């Protein structure tokens, strides 16, 4: 049985994976480095959220 915390966690992970897939695909097709910058910003944001969440 799942609870709200597990659903929230899996939804967050699936959203990050989906956005990563889209940004990498866009970079591969267009060779636009702005997409990589967006990807780095996304992972910096995810890391900051995880660090703040632990405190």
């Amino acid at each position: 049985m799942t609870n709200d915390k597990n659903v929230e966690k899996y939804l967050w992970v699936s959203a990050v994976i989906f956005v990563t897939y889209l940004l990498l695909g866009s970079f591969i097709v267009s060779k636009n480095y702005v997409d990589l910058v967006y990807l780095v910003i996304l992972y910096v944001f995810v890391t900051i959220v995880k660090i703040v969440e632990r405190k």
Side-chain angles (χ1 to χ4, degrees):
M1 179 178 263
T2 62
N3 57 14
D4 291 335
K5 191 68 171 176
N6 284 341
V7 171
E8 179 181 330
K9 176 184 171 186
Y10 292 128
L11 184 61
W12 177 255
V13 169
S14 63
V16 169
I17 290 171
F18 181 68
V19 170
T20 301
Y21 173 75
L22 290 178
L23 286 173
L24 283 176
S26 177
F27 172 70
I28 290 170
V29 169
S30 68
K31 302 294 188 218
N32 190 356
Y33 288 105
V34 174
D35 295 328
L36 285 180
V37 172
Y38 288 148
L39 190 62
V40 169
I41 290 170
L42 173 71
Y43 277 103
V44 166
F45 176 73
V46 169
T47 305
I48 290 172
V49 167
K50 290 295 181 182
I51 290 172
V52 169
E53 188 178 83
R54 286 186 182 180
K55 289 184 180 182

